[in-house]
Amino acid sequence: MDFGIKVKKKDGKLEDFIIEKIVVSLLRSGTDIHTARRIAYIVLGRILERKKKEISTKELTKQILKLLKKEDKNAYRNWIIFNKYLKKKKKEAEAEISKNLLEYLKK
């Protein structure tokens, strides 16, 4: 369903707001389907209430996590741990690319 809302990614790109993405992310954190849907629709309602047409991923994630922390502390912890893991892996990959680039340039 198109709500006319765009999500501004960290790189500045705009994507359509897709509520199912929130639900899937919440399910991956370990929460149940009912909690995931409730949180997703509360977030959507708040965006629509404010008559916003654009929201950053940072703001969207902040709203989701605030609700998740209240609803399901275990799923909240899972989300945080997984997010830290992804950030660590990204930094490691970037460091490896930089290292390889420097070695290539030295040749």
Side-chain angles (χ1 to χ4, degrees):
M1 181 178 271
D2 184 12
F3 299 101
I5 301 166
K6 297 288 184 185
V7 177
K8 189 171 188 176
K9 308 299 271 182
K10 289 180 184 179
D11 64 4
K13 292 181 185 173
L14 292 176
E15 289 185 1
D16 291 334
F17 175 89
I18 301 171
I19 199 160
E20 291 83 8
K21 285 186 174 184
I22 296 173
V23 173
V24 169
S25 293
L26 287 163
L27 290 173
R28 286 184 181 154
S29 74
T31 198
D32 64 273
I33 187 69
H34 301 292
T35 302
R37 286 185 179 147
R38 183 172 49 255
I39 289 172
Y41 280 97
I42 289 170
V43 169
L44 172 62
R46 289 178 178 174
I47 296 168
L48 293 173
E49 254 178 23
R50 296 180 188 138
K51 296 182 168 90
K52 294 181 92 173
K53 293 295 179 189
E54 184 178 305
I55 186 167
S56 68
T57 53
K58 185 176 182 176
E59 184 180 347
L60 189 59
T61 302
K62 184 178 173 182
Q63 287 187 31
I64 293 166
L65 287 176
K66 186 175 181 182
L67 291 165
L68 184 60
K69 189 174 185 179
K70 288 180 188 176
E71 294 283 331
D72 187 336
K73 289 191 186 321
N74 287 330
Y76 172 81
R77 275 192 295 269
N78 291 343
W79 182 306
I80 298 300
I81 290 167
F82 185 68
N83 195 44
K84 285 181 182 178
Y85 170 80
L86 287 179
K87 285 180 181 178
K88 180 182 175 189
K89 286 295 181 188
K90 183 179 178 185
K91 283 183 182 181
E92 289 172 357
E94 288 171 350
E96 184 68 23
I97 290 168
S98 295
K99 177 184 163 194
N100 291 340
L101 181 60
L102 287 173
E103 287 176 7
Y104 175 78
L105 292 173
K106 287 179 182 178
K107 291 181 182 180

CSV table of all heavy atoms in Angstrom, one decimal, residues 2 4 9 11-12 16 19 26 33-34 37 40 44 49 52 61-62 64-65 74 81 83 89-91 94-95 105:
chain,number,residue,atom,x,y,z
A,2,ASP,N,0.6,2.2,-0.8
A,2,ASP,CA,1.3,3.4,-0.9
A,2,ASP,C,0.7,4.5,0.0
A,2,ASP,O,-0.4,4.9,-0.2
A,2,ASP,CB,1.4,3.9,-2.4
A,2,ASP,CG,2.2,5.1,-2.6
A,2,ASP,OD1,3.0,5.5,-1.7
A,2,ASP,OD2,2.1,5.8,-3.7
A,4,GLY,N,2.3,7.4,0.4
A,4,GLY,CA,2.9,8.7,0.0
A,4,GLY,C,4.0,9.2,0.9
A,4,GLY,O,4.3,10.4,0.9
A,9,LYS,N,17.3,7.5,3.1
A,9,LYS,CA,18.4,6.6,3.6
A,9,LYS,C,19.6,7.4,4.0
A,9,LYS,O,19.7,8.6,3.7
A,9,LYS,CB,18.8,5.7,2.4
A,9,LYS,CG,17.6,4.9,1.9
A,9,LYS,CD,16.9,4.0,2.9
A,9,LYS,CE,17.5,2.7,2.9
A,9,LYS,NZ,16.9,1.8,3.9
A,11,ASP,N,22.5,7.5,2.7
A,11,ASP,CA,23.2,8.0,1.6
A,11,ASP,C,22.5,9.1,0.9
A,11,ASP,O,22.9,9.6,-0.2
A,11,ASP,CB,23.6,6.9,0.6
A,11,ASP,CG,22.4,6.2,0.0
A,11,ASP,OD1,21.2,6.6,0.3
A,11,ASP,OD2,22.6,5.2,-0.7
A,12,GLY,N,21.3,9.5,1.4
A,12,GLY,CA,20.5,10.5,0.8
A,12,GLY,C,19.4,10.1,-0.2
A,12,GLY,O,18.5,10.9,-0.6
A,16,ASP,N,10.4,4.4,-1.1
A,16,ASP,CA,9.0,4.4,-0.6
A,16,ASP,C,8.9,3.8,0.8
A,16,ASP,O,9.7,2.8,1.1
A,16,ASP,CB,8.1,3.6,-1.5
A,16,ASP,CG,7.9,4.2,-2.9
A,16,ASP,OD1,8.0,5.5,-3.0
A,16,ASP,OD2,7.6,3.5,-3.9
A,19,ILE,N,5.5,-0.6,4.9
A,19,ILE,CA,5.3,-1.0,6.3
A,19,ILE,C,5.8,-2.5,6.5
A,19,ILE,O,6.2,-2.8,7.6
A,19,ILE,CB,3.8,-0.8,6.6
A,19,ILE,CG1,3.6,-0.8,8.1
A,19,ILE,CG2,2.9,-1.9,6.0
A,19,ILE,CD1,2.4,-0.2,8.6
A,26,LEU,N,11.2,-6.4,12.6
A,26,LEU,CA,10.8,-6.7,13.9
A,26,LEU,C,10.7,-8.2,14.1
A,26,LEU,O,11.1,-8.7,15.2
A,26,LEU,CB,9.5,-6.0,14.3
A,26,LEU,CG,9.6,-4.5,14.5
A,26,LEU,CD1,8.2,-3.9,14.4
A,26,LEU,CD2,10.2,-4.2,15.8
A,33,ILE,N,4.4,-11.8,15.6
A,33,ILE,CA,3.8,-11.1,14.4
A,33,ILE,C,2.8,-10.0,14.9
A,33,ILE,O,2.7,-8.9,14.3
A,33,ILE,CB,3.1,-12.1,13.5
A,33,ILE,CG1,2.5,-11.4,12.2
A,33,ILE,CG2,1.9,-12.8,14.2
A,33,ILE,CD1,3.6,-10.9,11.3
A,34,HIS,N,2.1,-10.3,16.0
A,34,HIS,CA,1.1,-9.3,16.5
A,34,HIS,C,1.8,-8.0,17.0
A,34,HIS,O,1.4,-6.9,16.7
A,34,HIS,CB,0.2,-9.9,17.5
A,34,HIS,CG,-0.6,-11.1,17.1
A,34,HIS,ND1,-1.6,-11.0,16.1
A,34,HIS,CD2,-0.4,-12.4,17.4
A,34,HIS,CE1,-2.0,-12.2,15.9
A,34,HIS,NE2,-1.4,-13.1,16.6
A,37,ARG,N,3.3,-6.1,13.9
A,37,ARG,CA,2.3,-5.3,13.2
A,37,ARG,C,1.9,-4.1,14.0
A,37,ARG,O,1.7,-3.0,13.5
A,37,ARG,CB,1.2,-6.2,12.8
A,37,ARG,CG,1.5,-7.1,11.7
A,37,ARG,CD,0.3,-7.9,11.3
A,37,ARG,NE,0.6,-8.8,10.2
A,37,ARG,CZ,0.0,-10.0,10.0
A,37,ARG,NH1,-0.9,-10.4,10.8
A,37,ARG,NH2,0.4,-10.7,9.0
A,40,ALA,N,4.5,-1.4,13.9
A,40,ALA,CA,4.6,-0.9,12.5
A,40,ALA,C,3.5,0.1,12.3
A,40,ALA,O,3.7,1.2,11.7
A,40,ALA,CB,4.6,-2.0,11.5
A,44,LEU,N,3.5,4.2,11.7
A,44,LEU,CA,2.8,4.7,10.5
A,44,LEU,C,1.9,5.8,11.0
A,44,LEU,O,1.8,6.9,10.4
A,44,LEU,CB,2.1,3.7,9.7
A,44,LEU,CG,1.2,4.2,8.6
A,44,LEU,CD1,2.0,4.9,7.5
A,44,LEU,CD2,0.5,3.0,7.9
A,49,GLU,N,0.0,11.3,11.3
A,49,GLU,CA,-0.5,12.4,12.2
A,49,GLU,C,0.3,13.7,12.0
A,49,GLU,O,-0.3,14.8,12.1
A,49,GLU,CB,-0.3,12.0,13.7
A,49,GLU,CG,-1.5,11.5,14.4
A,49,GLU,CD,-1.3,11.1,15.8
A,49,GLU,OE1,-0.2,11.5,16.4
A,49,GLU,OE2,-2.1,10.3,16.3
A,52,LYS,N,3.8,14.1,7.7
A,52,LYS,CA,5.1,14.1,7.2
A,52,LYS,C,5.1,13.3,5.9
A,52,LYS,O,4.4,12.3,5.8
A,52,LYS,CB,6.1,13.5,8.1
A,52,LYS,CG,6.3,14.3,9.4
A,52,LYS,CD,7.3,13.6,10.3
A,52,LYS,CE,8.7,14.2,10.0
A,52,LYS,NZ,9.7,13.7,10.9
A,61,THR,N,14.0,4.4,12.8
A,61,THR,CA,14.6,3.3,13.7
A,61,THR,C,14.4,3.7,15.1
A,61,THR,O,14.1,2.9,16.0
A,61,THR,CB,16.0,3.1,13.3
A,61,THR,OG1,16.1,2.7,12.0
A,61,THR,CG2,16.6,2.0,14.2
A,62,LYS,N,14.6,5.0,15.4
A,62,LYS,CA,14.5,5.5,16.8
A,62,LYS,C,13.0,5.3,17.3
A,62,LYS,O,12.8,4.8,18.4
A,62,LYS,CB,14.8,7.0,16.8
A,62,LYS,CG,14.8,7.6,18.2
A,62,LYS,CD,15.2,9.1,18.1
A,62,LYS,CE,15.0,9.8,19.5
A,62,LYS,NZ,15.4,11.2,19.4
A,64,ILE,N,10.8,3.0,16.2
A,64,ILE,CA,10.6,1.6,16.2
A,64,ILE,C,11.2,1.0,17.5
A,64,ILE,O,10.6,0.3,18.3
A,64,ILE,CB,11.2,0.9,15.0
A,64,ILE,CG1,10.4,1.3,13.7
A,64,ILE,CG2,11.2,-0.6,15.2
A,64,ILE,CD1,11.1,0.9,12.4
A,65,LEU,N,12.5,1.4,17.8
A,65,LEU,CA,13.2,0.9,19.0
A,65,LEU,C,12.6,1.3,20.3
A,65,LEU,O,12.5,0.6,21.2
A,65,LEU,CB,14.7,1.2,18.9
A,65,LEU,CG,15.5,0.5,17.9
A,65,LEU,CD1,16.9,1.0,17.8
A,65,LEU,CD2,15.4,-1.0,18.1
A,74,ASN,N,13.4,-8.5,25.1
A,74,ASN,CA,14.4,-9.5,24.5
A,74,ASN,C,14.6,-9.2,23.0
A,74,ASN,O,15.7,-9.2,22.5
A,74,ASN,CB,13.9,-10.9,24.7
A,74,ASN,CG,14.0,-11.4,26.1
A,74,ASN,OD1,14.9,-11.0,26.8
A,74,ASN,ND2,13.1,-12.3,26.5
A,81,ILE,N,22.0,-5.8,19.5
A,81,ILE,CA,23.2,-6.7,19.3
A,81,ILE,C,23.4,-6.9,17.8
A,81,ILE,O,24.6,-6.8,17.4
A,81,ILE,CB,23.0,-8.0,20.1
A,81,ILE,CG1,23.0,-7.8,21.6
A,81,ILE,CG2,24.0,-9.1,19.6
A,81,ILE,CD1,22.5,-8.9,22.4
A,83,ASN,N,22.5,-5.1,15.3
A,83,ASN,CA,22.9,-3.8,14.6
A,83,ASN,C,24.4,-3.6,14.9
A,83,ASN,O,25.2,-3.2,14.0
A,83,ASN,CB,22.1,-2.7,15.2
A,83,ASN,CG,22.2,-1.5,14.3
A,83,ASN,OD1,22.2,-1.6,13.1
A,83,ASN,ND2,22.3,-0.3,14.9
A,89,LYS,N,31.0,-5.5,11.2
A,89,LYS,CA,31.4,-6.2,10.0
A,89,LYS,C,31.6,-5.2,8.8
A,89,LYS,O,32.5,-5.3,8.0
A,89,LYS,CB,30.3,-7.2,9.5
A,89,LYS,CG,30.2,-8.4,10.4
A,89,LYS,CD,31.5,-9.2,10.1
A,89,LYS,CE,31.6,-10.5,10.9
A,89,LYS,NZ,32.9,-11.1,10.8
A,90,LYS,N,30.8,-4.1,8.8
A,90,LYS,CA,31.0,-3.1,7.8
A,90,LYS,C,32.3,-2.4,8.0
A,90,LYS,O,33.0,-2.2,7.0
A,90,LYS,CB,29.8,-2.1,7.9
A,90,LYS,CG,29.9,-1.0,6.8
A,90,LYS,CD,28.7,0.0,6.9
A,90,LYS,CE,28.9,1.1,5.9
A,90,LYS,NZ,27.9,2.1,6.0
A,91,LYS,N,32.7,-2.1,9.2
A,91,LYS,CA,34.0,-1.4,9.4
A,91,LYS,C,35.1,-2.3,9.0
A,91,LYS,O,36.1,-1.9,8.5
A,91,LYS,CB,34.1,-1.0,10.9
A,91,LYS,CG,33.3,0.2,11.3
A,91,LYS,CD,33.6,0.6,12.7
A,91,LYS,CE,32.8,1.8,13.1
A,91,LYS,NZ,32.9,2.2,14.5
A,94,GLU,N,35.4,-2.3,5.3
A,94,GLU,CA,35.9,-1.1,4.8
A,94,GLU,C,37.4,-1.0,5.0
A,94,GLU,O,38.2,-0.6,4.2
A,94,GLU,CB,35.2,0.1,5.5
A,94,GLU,CG,33.8,0.3,5.0
A,94,GLU,CD,33.1,1.4,5.8
A,94,GLU,OE1,33.5,1.8,6.9
A,94,GLU,OE2,32.0,1.7,5.3
A,95,ALA,N,37.9,-1.5,6.2
A,95,ALA,CA,39.3,-1.6,6.5
A,95,ALA,C,40.0,-2.5,5.5
A,95,ALA,O,41.1,-2.2,5.1
A,95,ALA,CB,39.5,-2.0,7.9
A,105,LEU,N,48.1,0.3,-4.8
A,105,LEU,CA,48.7,1.6,-5.2
A,105,LEU,C,50.2,1.6,-5.0
A,105,LEU,O,50.9,2.3,-5.7
A,105,LEU,CB,48.0,2.8,-4.4
A,105,LEU,CG,46.6,3.1,-4.8
A,105,LEU,CD1,46.0,4.1,-3.8
A,105,LEU,CD2,46.4,3.5,-6.2
